[in-house]
Amino acid sequence: MIVEMIKWGYQEGKTLFGFGYDFRQSNRLSETLDRFSKKLESVYTASGGKKINLITHSMGGLLVKCFISLHSDTFEKYVKSWIAIAAPFQGAPGYITTSLLNGMSFVEGWESRFFISKWCMQQLLLECPSIYELLANPNFQWKDIPLLQIWRENLDNSGKKSALLESYEPEEAIMMIKEALSSNEIIADGMHIPVPLNLDILNWAKETYDLLCSTKLPESVKFYNIYGIDYDTPHTVCYGSERHPVSSLSSLLYAQGKYVYVDGDGSVPAESAKADGFNAVARVGVAADHRGIVCSRRVFRIVQHWLHAGEPDPFYDPLSDYVILPTLYEIEKHREKHGDVTSVAEDWEIISPNDGKTLRPGELPPMVSTLTTSREGKEGALEEAQATVVVHPEKKGRQHVQVRAVGVSHGG
Protein backbone atom coordinates (compact mmCIF):
# COMPACT_ATOMS: atom_id res chain seq x y z
CA MET A 1 0.00 0.00 0.00
CA ILE A 2 2.78 2.44 0.94
CA VAL A 3 4.73 1.67 -2.22
CA GLU A 4 1.57 2.24 -4.26
CA MET A 5 1.06 5.65 -2.59
CA ILE A 6 4.61 6.72 -3.40
CA LYS A 7 4.23 5.35 -6.92
CA TRP A 8 1.03 7.38 -7.39
CA GLY A 9 2.74 10.52 -6.16
CA TYR A 10 5.66 9.96 -8.50
CA GLN A 11 3.41 9.39 -11.52
CA GLU A 12 1.31 12.45 -10.73
CA GLY A 13 4.35 14.61 -10.10
CA LYS A 14 3.21 15.21 -6.51
CA THR A 15 4.58 14.66 -3.08
CA LEU A 16 3.18 11.82 -1.01
CA PHE A 17 0.60 14.07 0.58
CA GLY A 18 -0.24 15.96 -2.58
CA PHE A 19 0.10 19.54 -1.36
CA GLY A 20 2.59 22.39 -1.43
CA TYR A 21 4.84 23.26 1.46
CA ASP A 22 4.86 27.03 1.69
CA PHE A 23 3.89 27.57 5.32
CA ARG A 24 1.68 30.56 4.71
CA GLN A 25 -0.05 29.10 1.66
CA SER A 26 -0.44 25.43 2.62
CA ASN A 27 -4.14 24.58 2.35
CA ARG A 28 -3.79 21.72 4.79
CA LEU A 29 -2.16 23.80 7.53
CA SER A 30 -4.46 26.75 6.85
CA GLU A 31 -7.49 24.51 7.28
CA THR A 32 -6.05 23.09 10.50
CA LEU A 33 -5.50 26.55 11.97
CA ASP A 34 -8.95 27.68 10.85
CA ARG A 35 -10.54 24.69 12.58
CA PHE A 36 -8.52 25.44 15.70
CA SER A 37 -9.69 29.07 15.62
CA LYS A 38 -13.33 27.97 15.34
CA LYS A 39 -12.86 25.50 18.20
CA LEU A 40 -11.48 28.24 20.45
CA GLU A 41 -14.43 30.45 19.55
CA SER A 42 -17.00 27.71 20.21
CA VAL A 43 -15.51 26.81 23.61
CA TYR A 44 -15.33 30.50 24.54
CA THR A 45 -18.98 30.97 23.58
CA ALA A 46 -20.15 27.79 25.32
CA SER A 47 -18.48 28.90 28.56
CA GLY A 48 -20.37 32.16 28.57
CA GLY A 49 -17.49 34.32 27.43
CA LYS A 50 -14.87 32.92 29.83
CA LYS A 51 -11.34 32.77 28.50
CA ILE A 52 -9.80 29.33 27.92
CA ASN A 53 -6.97 27.53 29.72
CA LEU A 54 -5.15 25.70 26.93
CA ILE A 55 -2.98 22.60 27.50
CA THR A 56 -0.89 21.08 24.69
CA HIS A 57 1.42 18.08 24.40
CA SER A 58 4.42 17.54 22.11
CA MET A 59 3.79 18.82 18.55
CA GLY A 60 0.64 20.52 19.79
CA GLY A 61 2.95 23.12 21.30
CA LEU A 62 4.48 23.92 17.89
CA LEU A 63 1.04 24.08 16.30
CA VAL A 64 -0.15 26.61 18.89
CA LYS A 65 3.02 28.65 18.47
CA CYS A 66 2.38 28.73 14.71
CA PHE A 67 -1.20 29.79 15.40
CA ILE A 68 -0.02 32.67 17.61
CA SER A 69 2.32 33.85 14.85
CA LEU A 70 -0.52 34.15 12.36
CA HIS A 71 -3.54 34.79 14.59
CA SER A 72 -2.22 36.59 17.66
CA ASP A 73 -5.35 38.71 18.11
CA THR A 74 -7.63 35.66 18.04
CA PHE A 75 -5.43 33.83 20.54
CA GLU A 76 -5.41 36.80 22.90
CA LYS A 77 -9.18 37.18 22.62
CA TYR A 78 -10.02 33.61 23.63
CA VAL A 79 -7.08 32.27 25.69
CA LYS A 80 -6.27 33.06 29.32
CA SER A 81 -3.32 30.72 29.84
CA TRP A 82 -1.35 28.13 27.91
CA ILE A 83 0.49 25.18 29.43
CA ALA A 84 2.89 23.43 27.03
CA ILE A 85 3.92 19.88 27.97
CA ALA A 86 6.96 18.18 26.37
CA ALA A 87 7.01 20.50 23.36
CA PRO A 88 10.04 20.05 21.03
CA PHE A 89 10.53 23.79 20.60
CA GLN A 90 14.04 23.40 19.12
CA GLY A 91 13.67 19.90 17.70
CA ALA A 92 14.40 16.30 18.67
CA PRO A 93 17.64 15.81 16.73
CA GLY A 94 18.77 12.32 17.77
CA TYR A 95 15.68 10.35 16.79
CA ILE A 96 14.95 12.45 13.72
CA THR A 97 18.41 11.96 12.21
CA THR A 98 18.17 8.16 12.45
CA SER A 99 14.52 8.23 11.33
CA LEU A 100 15.45 9.96 8.07
CA LEU A 101 18.45 7.72 7.42
CA ASN A 102 17.22 4.38 8.79
CA GLY A 103 13.49 4.61 9.47
CA MET A 104 11.66 4.05 12.73
CA SER A 105 10.13 1.06 14.45
CA PHE A 106 7.55 1.45 17.20
CA VAL A 107 7.72 -2.25 18.15
CA GLU A 108 10.86 -4.34 18.58
CA GLY A 109 11.42 -8.10 18.36
CA TRP A 110 9.16 -10.65 16.70
CA GLU A 111 6.10 -8.43 17.19
CA SER A 112 7.55 -5.96 14.69
CA ARG A 113 6.60 -8.40 11.91
CA PHE A 114 2.97 -7.43 12.41
CA PHE A 115 3.63 -3.69 12.02
CA ILE A 116 5.00 -1.42 9.34
CA SER A 117 8.70 -2.05 8.70
CA LYS A 118 11.46 0.45 9.42
CA TRP A 119 12.20 0.69 5.68
CA CYS A 120 8.59 1.58 4.85
CA MET A 121 8.52 4.07 7.69
CA GLN A 122 11.64 5.71 6.32
CA GLN A 123 10.03 6.28 2.91
CA LEU A 124 6.98 7.80 4.60
CA LEU A 125 8.99 10.00 6.94
CA LEU A 126 10.98 11.43 4.04
CA GLU A 127 7.70 12.97 2.85
CA CYS A 128 6.41 14.04 6.27
CA PRO A 129 6.64 17.79 7.04
CA SER A 130 6.51 17.33 10.81
CA ILE A 131 9.69 15.25 10.75
CA TYR A 132 11.62 18.04 9.06
CA GLU A 133 10.33 20.51 11.65
CA LEU A 134 11.88 18.32 14.35
CA LEU A 135 15.40 18.49 12.95
CA ALA A 136 17.73 20.42 15.23
CA ASN A 137 17.15 24.14 14.84
CA PRO A 138 20.48 25.32 13.36
CA ASN A 139 19.84 28.91 14.50
CA PHE A 140 19.41 27.98 18.15
CA GLN A 141 22.37 28.57 20.46
CA TRP A 142 22.73 25.02 21.78
CA LYS A 143 24.71 24.54 24.98
CA ASP A 144 25.10 20.88 24.05
CA ILE A 145 25.33 20.92 20.25
CA PRO A 146 23.69 17.91 18.56
CA LEU A 147 26.09 16.34 16.09
CA LEU A 148 26.10 13.84 13.28
CA GLN A 149 29.37 11.94 13.68
CA ILE A 150 30.76 9.61 11.03
CA TRP A 151 33.85 7.44 11.18
CA ARG A 152 35.02 7.82 7.56
CA GLU A 153 37.40 5.52 5.76
CA ASN A 154 40.50 7.39 4.67
CA LEU A 155 43.21 6.40 2.19
CA ASP A 156 46.66 7.94 2.30
CA ASN A 157 48.98 8.34 -0.70
CA SER A 158 50.34 4.84 -0.26
CA GLY A 159 46.83 3.34 -0.27
CA LYS A 160 46.87 2.54 3.44
CA LYS A 161 43.46 2.69 5.06
CA SER A 162 42.71 4.55 8.28
CA ALA A 163 39.66 5.90 10.08
CA LEU A 164 38.86 9.56 10.69
CA LEU A 165 36.04 10.78 12.93
CA GLU A 166 34.13 13.65 11.34
CA SER A 167 31.60 15.71 13.30
CA TYR A 168 28.91 17.86 11.71
CA GLU A 169 26.79 20.50 13.42
CA PRO A 170 23.07 20.81 12.50
CA GLU A 171 23.48 22.86 9.29
CA GLU A 172 26.29 20.64 7.97
CA ALA A 173 24.53 17.47 9.14
CA ILE A 174 21.58 18.22 6.84
CA MET A 175 23.97 18.33 3.87
CA MET A 176 25.41 14.94 4.85
CA ILE A 177 21.91 13.47 5.16
CA LYS A 178 21.03 14.93 1.77
CA GLU A 179 24.07 13.32 0.16
CA ALA A 180 23.43 9.97 1.87
CA LEU A 181 19.87 9.92 0.53
CA SER A 182 20.72 11.21 -2.95
CA SER A 183 20.46 7.75 -4.53
CA ASN A 184 17.69 6.41 -2.30
CA GLU A 185 14.92 4.81 -4.34
CA ILE A 186 12.20 2.20 -4.40
CA ILE A 187 11.41 -0.15 -7.25
CA ALA A 188 7.76 -0.89 -8.08
CA ASP A 189 6.45 -2.55 -11.24
CA GLY A 190 9.81 -2.04 -12.89
CA MET A 191 9.81 1.67 -12.05
CA HIS A 192 12.77 3.21 -10.21
CA ILE A 193 11.24 5.88 -8.00
CA PRO A 194 13.71 8.27 -6.33
CA VAL A 195 13.00 9.11 -2.68
CA PRO A 196 15.70 11.61 -1.67
CA LEU A 197 15.63 14.16 1.09
CA ASN A 198 12.74 16.41 0.14
CA LEU A 199 14.27 19.86 -0.28
CA ASP A 200 10.87 21.53 -0.75
CA ILE A 201 9.77 20.31 2.68
CA LEU A 202 13.18 21.19 4.14
CA ASN A 203 12.89 24.79 2.92
CA TRP A 204 9.32 24.92 4.22
CA ALA A 205 10.53 23.70 7.64
CA LYS A 206 13.22 26.39 7.70
CA GLU A 207 10.59 29.05 7.05
CA THR A 208 8.53 27.54 9.83
CA TYR A 209 11.46 27.82 12.25
CA ASP A 210 12.03 31.44 11.25
CA LEU A 211 8.36 32.14 11.95
CA LEU A 212 8.42 30.30 15.28
CA CYS A 213 11.54 32.19 16.39
CA SER A 214 9.76 35.52 15.85
CA THR A 215 6.56 34.54 17.66
CA LYS A 216 5.50 36.96 20.40
CA LEU A 217 3.14 35.84 23.13
CA PRO A 218 0.27 38.28 23.80
CA GLU A 219 0.89 40.08 27.10
CA SER A 220 -2.46 39.07 28.57
CA VAL A 221 -1.77 35.32 28.14
CA LYS A 222 0.09 33.46 30.89
CA PHE A 223 2.47 30.79 29.64
CA TYR A 224 3.76 27.75 31.56
CA ASN A 225 6.15 25.03 30.44
CA ILE A 226 6.41 21.44 31.71
CA TYR A 227 9.17 19.28 30.24
CA GLY A 228 10.48 15.76 30.85
CA ILE A 229 13.79 15.01 32.56
CA ASP A 230 15.82 12.10 33.98
CA TYR A 231 15.54 9.95 30.83
CA ASP A 232 18.42 9.22 28.44
CA THR A 233 17.49 11.11 25.27
CA PRO A 234 19.23 10.63 21.90
CA HIS A 235 21.01 13.79 20.85
CA THR A 236 24.19 13.10 18.88
CA VAL A 237 24.32 10.15 16.46
CA CYS A 238 27.51 8.33 15.47
CA TYR A 239 27.85 5.96 12.48
CA GLY A 240 30.68 3.51 11.99
CA SER A 241 33.62 2.97 14.31
CA GLU A 242 37.37 3.33 14.28
CA ARG A 243 37.61 -0.37 13.51
CA HIS A 244 34.80 -0.42 10.96
CA PRO A 245 34.65 3.00 9.28
CA VAL A 246 32.06 4.06 6.71
CA SER A 247 33.29 3.83 3.11
CA SER A 248 30.52 5.95 1.52
CA LEU A 249 27.69 8.12 2.78
CA SER A 250 25.09 6.01 0.98
CA SER A 251 26.03 3.11 3.26
CA LEU A 252 24.62 5.07 6.23
CA LEU A 253 21.17 3.87 5.14
CA TYR A 254 22.18 0.33 6.09
CA ALA A 255 24.23 1.17 9.18
CA GLN A 256 23.22 1.21 12.82
CA GLY A 257 23.74 4.58 14.47
CA LYS A 258 24.90 4.84 18.06
CA TYR A 259 23.42 7.56 20.23
CA VAL A 260 25.09 9.97 22.59
CA TYR A 261 22.45 10.79 25.18
CA VAL A 262 21.49 13.93 27.08
CA ASP A 263 18.87 14.60 29.71
CA GLY A 264 15.27 14.76 28.54
CA ASP A 265 12.10 12.71 28.24
CA GLY A 266 13.58 9.97 26.07
CA SER A 267 12.53 11.71 22.84
CA VAL A 268 12.89 15.47 23.34
CA PRO A 269 16.03 16.89 25.02
CA ALA A 270 15.27 19.05 28.04
CA GLU A 271 17.34 21.84 26.48
CA SER A 272 15.00 21.88 23.47
CA ALA A 273 11.79 21.67 25.48
CA LYS A 274 12.80 24.49 27.85
CA ALA A 275 13.73 26.88 25.02
CA ASP A 276 10.21 28.13 24.31
CA GLY A 277 11.29 31.73 23.64
CA PHE A 278 8.58 33.18 25.88
CA ASN A 279 8.50 35.04 29.16
CA ALA A 280 7.15 32.04 31.06
CA VAL A 281 5.45 32.34 34.43
CA ALA A 282 7.10 29.04 35.36
CA ARG A 283 9.07 26.16 33.85
CA VAL A 284 9.16 22.82 35.66
CA GLY A 285 11.03 19.63 34.82
CA VAL A 286 9.24 16.39 35.68
CA ALA A 287 10.81 12.94 35.73
CA ALA A 288 8.75 11.26 33.01
CA ASP A 289 9.07 9.98 29.45
CA HIS A 290 7.57 11.70 26.43
CA ARG A 291 4.26 9.85 26.43
CA GLY A 292 4.00 9.04 30.11
CA ILE A 293 4.33 12.67 31.15
CA VAL A 294 0.67 13.33 30.30
CA CYS A 295 -0.31 10.60 32.80
CA SER A 296 1.99 11.82 35.56
CA ARG A 297 0.30 12.54 38.88
CA ARG A 298 2.83 15.28 39.53
CA VAL A 299 1.93 16.99 36.25
CA PHE A 300 -1.72 16.79 37.25
CA ARG A 301 -0.94 18.42 40.61
CA ILE A 302 1.11 21.16 38.93
CA VAL A 303 -1.60 21.92 36.37
CA GLN A 304 -4.24 21.92 39.10
CA HIS A 305 -2.16 24.36 41.14
CA TRP A 306 -1.46 26.71 38.23
CA LEU A 307 -5.09 26.79 37.11
CA HIS A 308 -6.45 27.05 40.67
CA ALA A 309 -8.65 24.05 39.99
CA GLY A 310 -10.35 22.22 42.86
CA GLU A 311 -9.49 22.98 46.47
CA PRO A 312 -6.63 25.50 46.53
CA ASP A 313 -3.46 24.49 48.38
CA PRO A 314 -1.50 27.62 49.28
CA PHE A 315 1.44 25.58 50.58
CA TYR A 316 2.10 23.51 47.43
CA ASP A 317 5.37 24.19 45.60
CA PRO A 318 5.35 22.94 41.96
CA LEU A 319 9.14 23.13 41.66
CA SER A 320 9.82 20.70 44.51
CA ASP A 321 6.45 18.92 44.37
CA TYR A 322 6.22 19.28 48.16
CA VAL A 323 3.50 20.62 50.39
CA ILE A 324 5.10 22.48 53.29
CA LEU A 325 2.50 22.80 56.00
CA PRO A 326 3.31 24.95 59.06
CA THR A 327 2.04 23.28 62.23
CA LEU A 328 3.67 25.33 64.98
CA TYR A 329 5.14 28.79 65.40
CA GLU A 330 6.08 30.26 68.78
CA ILE A 331 8.32 33.21 69.60
CA GLU A 332 9.34 34.40 73.03
CA LYS A 333 11.42 37.40 74.07
CA HIS A 334 12.82 38.17 77.51
CA ARG A 335 15.73 39.94 79.15
CA GLU A 336 18.48 38.25 81.14
CA LYS A 337 21.59 39.58 82.81
CA HIS A 338 23.83 38.89 79.83
CA GLY A 339 21.42 40.43 77.29
CA ASP A 340 18.16 40.14 75.35
CA VAL A 341 17.12 36.58 74.46
CA THR A 342 14.77 35.61 71.63
CA SER A 343 13.56 32.01 71.29
CA VAL A 344 11.79 30.66 68.23
CA ALA A 345 10.09 27.27 67.83
CA GLU A 346 8.67 26.27 64.46
CA ASP A 347 7.37 22.95 63.16
CA TRP A 348 6.49 21.95 59.59
CA GLU A 349 5.02 18.94 57.91
CA ILE A 350 6.67 18.36 54.52
CA ILE A 351 4.44 16.16 52.39
CA SER A 352 5.84 14.67 49.17
CA PRO A 353 4.22 12.16 46.80
CA ASN A 354 4.02 8.67 48.28
CA ASP A 355 6.38 6.46 46.31
CA GLY A 356 4.70 3.32 47.58
CA LYS A 357 7.23 2.74 50.36
CA THR A 358 5.97 2.67 53.92
CA LEU A 359 8.53 3.32 56.62
CA ARG A 360 8.40 1.32 59.82
CA PRO A 361 8.93 3.22 63.08
CA GLY A 362 12.64 3.77 63.64
CA GLU A 363 13.61 2.56 60.15
CA LEU A 364 15.33 5.87 59.38
CA PRO A 365 16.89 7.95 62.17
CA PRO A 366 16.14 11.66 62.52
CA MET A 367 18.48 14.00 60.63
CA VAL A 368 19.93 16.75 62.82
CA SER A 369 21.77 19.90 61.78
CA THR A 370 22.98 22.76 63.96
CA LEU A 371 24.07 26.23 62.89
CA THR A 372 25.79 28.81 65.08
CA THR A 373 26.63 32.36 64.05
CA SER A 374 27.59 35.67 65.60
CA ARG A 375 28.12 39.24 64.50
CA GLU A 376 28.78 42.69 65.86
CA GLY A 377 25.52 44.59 66.06
CA LYS A 378 24.67 48.22 66.60
CA GLU A 379 26.86 50.25 68.94
CA GLY A 380 29.33 47.38 69.26
CA ALA A 381 26.82 44.94 70.75
CA LEU A 382 27.61 41.25 70.15
CA GLU A 383 24.76 39.25 68.65
CA GLU A 384 24.81 35.44 68.70
CA ALA A 385 22.35 32.88 67.37
CA GLN A 386 22.09 29.10 67.29
CA ALA A 387 19.56 27.06 65.36
CA THR A 388 18.92 23.33 65.35
CA VAL A 389 16.92 21.60 62.62
CA VAL A 390 15.63 18.07 63.18
CA VAL A 391 13.98 16.14 60.35
CA HIS A 392 11.93 13.09 61.33
CA PRO A 393 11.18 10.80 58.32
CA GLU A 394 7.69 9.39 58.57
CA LYS A 395 5.44 7.23 56.41
CA LYS A 396 3.57 8.01 53.19
CA GLY A 397 6.02 10.65 51.99
CA ARG A 398 5.77 12.80 55.13
CA GLN A 399 8.60 14.44 57.03
CA HIS A 400 8.23 16.28 60.32
CA VAL A 401 10.64 19.20 60.63
CA GLN A 402 11.44 20.91 63.93
CA VAL A 403 13.34 24.18 64.05
CA ARG A 404 14.55 25.54 67.38
CA ALA A 405 16.51 28.80 67.44
CA VAL A 406 17.86 31.05 70.19
CA GLY A 407 19.27 34.53 69.64
CA VAL A 408 21.15 36.58 72.26
CA SER A 409 22.04 40.26 72.00
CA HIS A 410 24.68 41.36 74.49
CA GLY A 411 24.81 44.95 75.59
CA GLY A 412 27.53 47.16 74.13
Side-chain angles (χ1 to χ4, degrees):
M1 178 63 181
I2 293 171
V3 172
E4 289 300 316
M5 291 171 66
I6 297 176
K7 178 182 172 185
W8 169 82
Y10 180 70
Q11 291 173 327
E12 296 294 322
K14 302 175 182 177
T15 64
L16 180 59
F17 298 98
F19 62 90
Y21 294 103
D22 183 79
F23 178 81
R24 288 152 291 190
Q25 297 177 3
S26 169
N27 292 332
R28 180 174 179 267
L29 185 58
S30 178
E31 290 173 1
T32 300
L33 296 183
D34 286 343
R35 287 197 300 270
F36 182 58
S37 179
K38 292 176 181 178
K39 179 63 70 174
L40 290 177
E41 182 180 5
S42 65
V43 174
Y44 177 82
T45 302
S47 66
K50 293 182 179 179
K51 284 194 172 185
I52 301 165
N53 296 311
L54 185 64
I55 302 175
T56 61
H57 174 251
S58 193
M59 287 293 290
L62 297 188
L63 179 64
V64 168
K65 199 170 183 182
C66 288
F67 183 85
I68 295 173
S69 296
L70 300 177
H71 305 283
S72 179
D73 293 343
T74 302
F75 194 79
E76 185 174 22
K77 178 179 178 181
Y78 296 129
V79 177
K80 177 182 178 182
S81 64
W82 170 28
I83 300 175
I85 302 175
F89 286 112
Q90 304 302 329
Y95 272 136
I96 299 306
T97 297
T98 55
S99 294
L100 289 172
L101 290 172
N102 312 116
M104 177 189 300
S105 178
F106 295 102
V107 181
E108 301 295 337
W110 65 269
E111 294 175 323
S112 63
R113 299 180 182 180
F114 300 98
F115 293 86
I116 183 172
S117 69
K118 290 185 69 173
W119 179 84
C120 288
M121 277 300 300
Q122 181 197 18
Q123 313 315 313
L124 281 175
L125 295 176
L126 285 170
E127 297 292 327
C128 180
S130 296
I131 292 298
Y132 289 72
E133 287 179 333
L134 292 176
L135 285 164
N137 182 0
N139 299 321
F140 178 61
Q141 298 298 313
W142 294 91
K143 291 182 180 179
D144 196 335
I145 301 174
L147 302 172
L148 171 59
Q149 296 183 322
I150 306 172
W151 281 98
R152 298 286 292 272
E153 186 177 272
N154 184 50
L155 291 175
D156 61 20
N157 295 332
S158 62
K160 185 178 180 180
K161 294 182 179 180
S162 62
L164 178 66
L165 180 62
E166 299 177 353
S167 297
Y168 301 97
E169 295 190 7
E171 196 77 51
E172 301 169 314
I174 292 175
M175 296 300 102
M176 294 299 104
I177 295 172
K178 174 188 172 184
E179 185 175 343
L181 289 164
S182 61
S183 58
N184 184 47
E185 64 177 15
I186 63 173
I187 302 175
D189 296 336
M191 298 175 57
H192 290 256
I193 304 173
V195 189
L197 188 72
N198 193 313
L199 299 184
D200 288 333
I201 305 180
L202 180 62
N203 291 330
W204 175 82
K206 289 180 178 179
E207 291 181 13
T208 302
Y209 264 130
D210 291 340
L211 200 63
L212 291 174
C213 289
S214 62
T215 302
K216 302 295 182 183
L217 187 73
E219 293 184 1
S220 64
V221 179
K222 294 182 178 180
F223 174 75
Y224 305 84
N225 188 339
I226 300 175
Y227 55 92
I229 57 173
D230 292 351
Y231 279 74
D232 287 339
T233 303
H235 197 54
T236 286
V237 185
C238 182
Y239 286 93
S241 65
E242 187 173 11
R243 187 174 180 181
H244 301 287
V246 173
S247 57
S248 66
L249 288 177
S250 60
S251 64
L252 295 183
L253 306 186
Y254 315 102
Q256 181 70 40
K258 294 182 180 179
Y259 293 125
V260 176
Y261 297 93
V262 295
D263 187 35
D265 62 18
S267 298
V268 180
E271 183 179 358
S272 170
K274 288 191 293 186
D276 46 67
F278 295 135
N279 183 20
V281 177
R283 295 184 185 89
V284 178
V286 175
D289 64 33
H290 189 67
R291 295 183 182 179
I293 196 169
V294 294
C295 304
S296 166
R297 290 185 177 272
R298 182 182 176 190
V299 169
F300 180 81
R301 288 191 296 269
I302 293 171
V303 171
Q304 185 181 36
H305 177 77
W306 283 342
L307 300 183
H308 306 289
E311 291 294 326
D313 189 344
F315 302 107
Y316 179 68
D317 179 8
L319 292 178
S320 63
D321 200 30
Y322 293 139
V323 174
I324 302 178
L325 188 64
T327 58
L328 172 70
Y329 181 78
E330 295 178 351
I331 184 168
E332 179 184 345
K333 295 182 179 181
H334 62 276
R335 178 179 290 275
E336 296 184 359
K337 289 183 179 180
H338 53 272
D340 296 328
V341 178
T342 302
S343 301
V344 177
E346 189 168 358
D347 285 17
W348 309 322
E349 290 289 337
I350 299 181
I351 306 171
S352 60
N354 183 15
D355 57 6
K357 299 178 181 179
T358 301
L359 297 177
R360 294 187 295 272
E363 185 173 350
L364 287 178
M367 294 174 284
V368 182
S369 180
T370 301
L371 174 67
T372 302
T373 185
S374 62
R375 71 172 186 176
E376 184 175 329
K378 297 179 179 179
E379 298 178 358
L382 179 63
E383 298 178 350
E384 297 178 286
Q386 183 180 67
T388 301
V389 180
V390 183
V391 180
H392 301 272
E394 297 180 356
K395 60 183 180 179
K396 294 184 179 180
R398 289 177 174 264
Q399 297 181 78
H400 182 72
V401 181
Q402 295 177 310
V403 180
R404 301 293 182 264
V406 178
V408 179
S409 178
H410 303 276

